[in-house]
Amino acid sequence: MPKSNTAKTMVLNFLARNQSVQQPTQLYLALFVTNPTDANTGTEASYDGYQRQVAIFGGPQLSGGNAIIQNTSQITFGLVPSASGSIAYAALMTAQTGGDLMYYGPLAATYALNQGVQPIVPIGSLSVSEN
């Protein structure tokens, strides 16, 4: 998942300039209709019962020059009450509403939000990497 402009700035300030940064206490997975981009300009999903969900990650694993973390618990969104379009992106945000975008990326495929669908991210299916 690419880093947002906010995350890039935080990393550089912390690592290269010895400045303290406000570390998020929690990251929330958000679903997006359009690409959030580095500047957080995408359109987030919106349906009755939708809210961002807490994402919990295990420790980094090194693989082929990348450090990778994956979700350690299933992430379950609310049931879609009526057809609500589709989603194509996911993002990690610093708050359940508002907040800052940290990482984002496309889903493996566009996901239709049809009536009765409940978006679920299985354990280990959400990966964030640094290379």
Side-chain angles (χ1 to χ4, degrees), residues 27 57-61 67-71 92 103 124 126-130:
L27 289 177
F57 294 95
Q61 301 295 313
I68 302 167
I69 57 173
Q70 294 179 308
N71 62 310
L92 291 169
Y103 291 91
L126 177 60
S127 297
V128 179
S129 66
E130 292 284 343

Side-chain angles (χ1 to χ4, degrees), residues 20 69 86 107:
S20 52
I69 57 173
S86 61
L107 300 176

Side-chain angles (χ1 to χ4, degrees), residues 29-31 45-54 74-82 84 87 96 111-121:
L29 185 63
L31 305 176
S46 176
Y47 62 84
D48 285 341
Y50 169 80
Q51 66 179 6
R52 297 173 186 170
Q53 298 297 312
V54 172
Q74 179 172 287
I75 302 168
T76 305
F77 289 87
L79 192 68
V80 179
S82 61
S84 301
I87 53 172
Q96 195 164 40
Y111 190 86
L113 296 175
N114 294 323
Q115 181 178 6
V117 165
Q118 184 169 29
I120 295 174
V121 179

